[in-house]
Structures are given as structure tokens and as C-alpha cells.
């Protein structure tokens, strides 16, 4: 929200009340939802002023965990932006979405990309599309509509407003992925390894895998397989990131295990 403008001649009391109202209006909460915990941050503008983690003891306990996390923030009546971990998401490559002649056809194309793999349950999902360059493939994301509705109703009943909802994968990609027409991005998070690849500014591959105990070897094997399948050059820019609670950080790729991968990634 833009700062309040104060007219000349206003009293000091009015000035103080307006400044306080402007500060409160900038308050927002960011919730990151994992299968077994909610991490949260209270922000004033872009500054994090408080943060914490609330455990989720079972899938049925998510709603109560959300209410508990909101109480811990000591904030009220503000916007809540939600980031959903890859545990709750599905992704699919959509070939040339620019060929669609209407929004209805675009929605049908995006939905079909999931139905080929997941079947009729796709009818209960909320699907969004991220475009590539003109004429190139897009990336569709899907989440259970019931989960979104539960988040929205819980927040509104507690006096909050649901703001932006986005996958942790895309938020991490937007912050840390290497720039350029070709690249690979990998995100390590609770129980999941996610990989994205793009060529000529179009999405070409997305993978979600259970995270193994030897995740470094898993990353190397997955990268080698992607490069082979897509014909990517050995020096294709890549970045690995790790997300835990509220912390997103770039990682260096461990030394290769005789598979010809570069030993460092761009920061």
C-alpha cells in the first residue's frame, strides 16, 4: 500500500495515528506449508520482524496448526501469503500453450496434461500455467482445490485475508535459478527433490522425487539423466537450492562421481 499523505497543519496526534496506521497496513504473514510443519514469518514491508515453526502432528491437524501459527505471530487482520511445498503440488509440461485460441481451450490443454497421468481426479484440482517464451512449452502447476478452500476459510474465519498462493518450487526458482535460455534448477526440501529444466526459454522437464538419504548422489544421477534425455551440454547452467523452515539457500554441487558433471554451480 502506498504511504499515507499527510496534509500540512495536521496535529502531532493525527500525524502519529496516521503513521501507525500505515505501519500496520504494511504488515503481512508468509506461511510455508510442509507435510509435518508450518513455518511462518511476520513482515513489515520487506523486513522480517518475527518468525517461527508450528508442528503438524497429522494431516487432520493442519487446520489447528494453522490457527496456532497465526496466534504466534501476534498479528491480526492482515494478508497471508502461502507457499505450498512440493508434497502438495503436481506439475506438468504443456506443449505450446500459445496455440490455444481461447481461455477455455487453454484450460483444457493444461488439464489434459495432467489427466494423461493422473486420470479423473484432476477434476478436483486447481490448475495454473506459467508461460515460457512465445511458441515454447509452458509449465502447469496443480493443487487440490479442497486444500485451497480450507486455507481460505480458516484464514477468513480468523480475520485474515488469503493473499498469493504459490509453490515453493517456483518461489525458489524465481529467487535463485540461473538466468539464460537454457538451465537446470533443483530444489531439496522436506521429503522431496524437485528438478526443473528449460531450453530456448521454454520449459522442457519437471520432476518430483522422494528425497533419498544420499541426496547428493540422487541429484547427480538425476542431473546426468536429464542432460542425456534432453541433449543438454555439460556446461549447462545449473543451481541447487535447499529449503528448510524459513531458510532458502543456494548449494554447491558435490564433486561428481565419474559422470562428467561440473563440480560447482552458479551462486
Amino acid at each position: 500500500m502506498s504511504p499515507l499523505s499527510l496534509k500540512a497543519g495536521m496535529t502531532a496526534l493525527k500525524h502519529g495515528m496516521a503513521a501507525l496506521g500505515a505501519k500496520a497496513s504494511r504488515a503481512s504473514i508468509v506461511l510455508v506449508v510442509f507435510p509435518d510443519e508450518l513455518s511462518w514469518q511476520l513482515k513489515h514491508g520487506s523486513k522480517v520482524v518475527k518468525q517461527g515453526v508450528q508442528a503438524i502432528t497429522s494431516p487432520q491437524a493442519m487446520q489447528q496448526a494453522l490457527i496456532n501459527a497465526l496466534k504466534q505471530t501476534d498479528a491480526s487482520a492482515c494478508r497471508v501469503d502461502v507457499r505450498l511445498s512440493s508434497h502438495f503440488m503436481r506439475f506438468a509440461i504443456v506443449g505450446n500453450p500459445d496455440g490455444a485460441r481461447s481461455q477455455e481451450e487453454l484450460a483444457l490443454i493444461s488439464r489434459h496434461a495432467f489427466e494423461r497421468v493422473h486420470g479423473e481426479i484432476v477434476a478436483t484440482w486447481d490448475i495454473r500455467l506459467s508461460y515460457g517464451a512465445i511458441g515454447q512449452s509452458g509449465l502447469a502447476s496443480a493443487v487440490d482445490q479442497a486444500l485451497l478452500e480450507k486455507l481460505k476459510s480458516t484464514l477468513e474465519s480468523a480475520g485474515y485475508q488469503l493473499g498469493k498462493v504459490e509453490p515453493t518450487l517456483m518461489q525458489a526458482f524465481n529467487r535463485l535459478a540461473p538466468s539464460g535460455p537454457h538451465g537446470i534448477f533443483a530444489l531439496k526440501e522436506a521429503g522431496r527433490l524437485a528438478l526443473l529444466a528449460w531450453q530456448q526459454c521454454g520449459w522442457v522437464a519437471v520432476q518430483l522425487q522422494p528425497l533419498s538419504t544420499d541426496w547428493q548422489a540422487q541429484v547427480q544421477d538425476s542431473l546426468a539423466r536429464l542432460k542425456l534425455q534432453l541433449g543438454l551440454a555439460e556446461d549447462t547452467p545449473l543451481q541447487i537450492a535447499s529449503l528448510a523452515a524459513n531458510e532458502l539457500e543456494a548449494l554447491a554441487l558435490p564433486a561428481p562421481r565419474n559422470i562428467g558433471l561440473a563440480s560447482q554451480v552458479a551462486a
Side-chain angles (χ1 to χ4, degrees):
M1 181 178 290
S2 58
L4 296 175
S5 58
L6 303 176
K7 294 181 179 179
M10 294 181 71
T11 65
L13 176 61
K14 288 184 178 179
H15 181 92
M17 291 299 290
L20 180 61
K23 183 177 180 180
S25 68
R26 293 197 301 269
S28 64
I29 297 170
V30 176
L31 280 176
V32 185
V33 186
F34 297 99
D36 57 356
E37 67 180 27
L38 288 167
S39 65
W40 57 267
Q41 291 182 329
L42 175 63
K43 305 177 74 174
H44 285 169
S46 60
K47 182 180 179 181
V48 176
V49 296
K50 191 177 182 180
Q51 62 183 3
V53 176
Q54 173 65 45
I56 302 175
T57 56
S58 70
Q60 295 74 26
M62 180 183 291
Q63 186 174 15
Q64 186 58 50
L66 175 56
I67 294 172
N68 293 342
L70 293 171
K71 289 179 180 178
Q72 292 171 21
T73 68
D74 294 325
S76 59
C78 63
R79 188 186 78 248
V80 179
D81 293 329
V82 176
R83 297 169 187 162
L84 296 173
S85 76
S86 297
H87 174 86
F88 301 101
M89 302 301 304
R90 299 291 183 272
F91 297 94
I93 302 298
V94 179
N96 189 19
D98 295 302
R101 292 167 292 183
S102 66
Q103 288 296 321
E104 292 75 15
E105 184 177 355
L106 181 60
L108 184 63
I109 293 172
S110 300
R111 189 167 298 279
H112 180 64
F114 289 103
E115 288 176 337
R116 289 179 296 179
V117 177
H118 302 284
E120 295 180 358
I121 195 173
V122 173
T124 66
W125 293 354
D126 181 88
I127 298 174
R128 304 297 170 92
L129 181 68
S130 173
Y131 286 90
I134 294 177
Q136 299 295 329
S137 296
L139 176 66
S141 63
V143 62
D144 191 342
Q145 183 65 41
L147 175 60
L148 296 180
E149 292 172 357
K150 180 179 291 186
L151 287 169
K152 187 173 185 293
S153 63
T154 301
L155 290 172
E156 290 181 349
S157 64
Y160 298 86
Q161 176 189 359
L162 179 61
K164 180 170 59 175
V165 179
E166 63 180 340
T168 53
L169 176 59
M170 299 313 297
Q171 190 269 340
F173 172 87
N174 289 334
R175 281 189 56 185
L176 296 177
S179 60
H182 314 284
I184 300 173
F185 180 73
L187 177 65
K188 169 184 170 284
E189 57 179 87
R192 288 288 189 278
L193 176 67
L195 296 105
L196 283 174
W198 60 99
Q199 289 179 294
Q200 299 176 352
C201 298
W203 302 103
V204 292
V206 56
Q207 297 179 4
L208 298 180
Q209 306 172 13
L211 188 68
S212 69
T213 53
D214 188 358
W215 67 267
Q216 294 97 333
Q218 181 182 8
V219 168
Q220 290 178 339
D221 292 343
S222 297
L223 291 175
R225 191 179 309 115
L226 270 179
K227 289 186 175 184
L228 180 63
Q229 292 172 344
L230 301 174
L232 293 172
E234 284 299 311
D235 60 353
T236 297
L238 62 97
Q239 178 65 69
I240 303 172
S242 174
L243 175 64
N246 293 305
E247 301 300 324
L248 176 65
E249 62 175 336
L251 301 178
L253 184 64
R257 300 179 304 132
N258 299 321
I259 56 176
L261 290 178
S263 60
Q264 296 291 328
V265 297

